Amino acid sequence: MSELTHLNSEGHAHMVDVSEKEITTRVARAEGFVEMLPATLALITQGKHNKGDVLAVARIAGIQAAKKCSDLIPLCHPLMLSKVSVELTPEVDLNRVRIETMCKLNGRTGVEMEALCAASTAALTLYDMCKAVDRGMTITGIRVMEKQGGKSGHWSVDTQAGAST
């Protein structure tokens, strides 16, 4: 296990100095799920929710969250993202919506936190818009699926646990 980089020699939290790191193309993908009642998912997929297009609003919220990640997570660097995508896919057979996010930039630090913020906020927005009809929804499985770029290279949940390719 590597040393914790957000702690200085005295054990105090600090923002990591990335000024000497090489600029590389960095990409991160994350996912999450919102599980709900079949009737709630039907309202969303049939466009009958009285609050409008739930998936479109959640998508925009996720994109905005990625751009604001450093405002939410204290030691994250403000980043100039070049691409953010948020896809919400109803999985009717599982009574849930799958959220897939991707963040990309050319920079000195990774974008995993931005991808996670996008997935989390999209899920929270979906919950917020549907809570009046289904307070029992569950947000699950938020995780990084893949990261590329930087000194550590490429990592994916499809590779062996903790291995780089």
Side-chain angles (χ1 to χ4, degrees):
M1 180 174 193
S2 61
E3 116 185 21
L4 298 174
T5 59
H6 287 76
L7 299 177
N8 65 16
S9 60
E10 291 86 41
H12 300 130
H14 73 105
M15 190 170 179
V16 174
D17 181 359
V18 297
S19 61
E20 300 301 317
K21 286 182 153 188
E22 185 177 338
I23 294 174
T24 63
T25 299
R26 295 161 185 267
V27 178
R29 299 178 194 282
E31 75 174 354
F33 302 90
V34 181
E35 299 171 359
M36 61 195 67
L37 295 171
T40 307
L41 189 54
L43 282 175
I44 294 169
T45 59
Q46 296 168 11
K48 295 184 177 177
H49 197 292
N50 63 7
K51 289 189 178 181
D53 190 340
V54 173
L55 300 180
V57 174
R59 180 177 301 108
I60 296 297
I63 293 167
Q64 188 65 27
K67 295 177 355 180
K68 295 290 190 177
C69 185
S70 67
D71 292 339
L72 301 170
I73 310 297
L75 302 178
C76 280
H77 294 83
L79 301 178
M80 185 62 80
L81 297 169
S82 58
K83 174 73 176 161
V84 177
S85 67
V86 178
E87 298 301 324
L88 295 103
T89 306
E91 295 181 338
V92 177
D93 55 324
L94 299 171
N95 298 318
R96 68 185 187 184
V97 173
R98 180 173 192 237
I99 300 162
E100 300 174 79
T101 66
M102 186 278 297
C103 293
K104 181 179 180 180
L105 60 64
N106 292 324
R108 299 179 193 279
T109 187
V111 290
E112 296 92 334
M113 293 308 299
E114 289 71 15
L116 288 167
C117 275
S120 301
T121 302
L124 290 168
T125 301
L126 205 153
Y127 182 93
D128 180 51
M129 292 190 73
C130 296
K131 68 182 183 272
V133 296
D134 187 356
R135 293 201 185 274
M137 289 177 289
T138 305
I139 297 170
T140 64
I142 295 175
R143 64 181 179 160
V144 173
M145 298 295 294
E146 181 180 19
K147 63 112 6 225
Q148 299 175 40
K151 187 169 62 173
S152 63
H154 182 234
W155 175 89
S156 167
V157 295
D158 296 332
T159 60
Q160 293 179 348
S164 292
T165 58

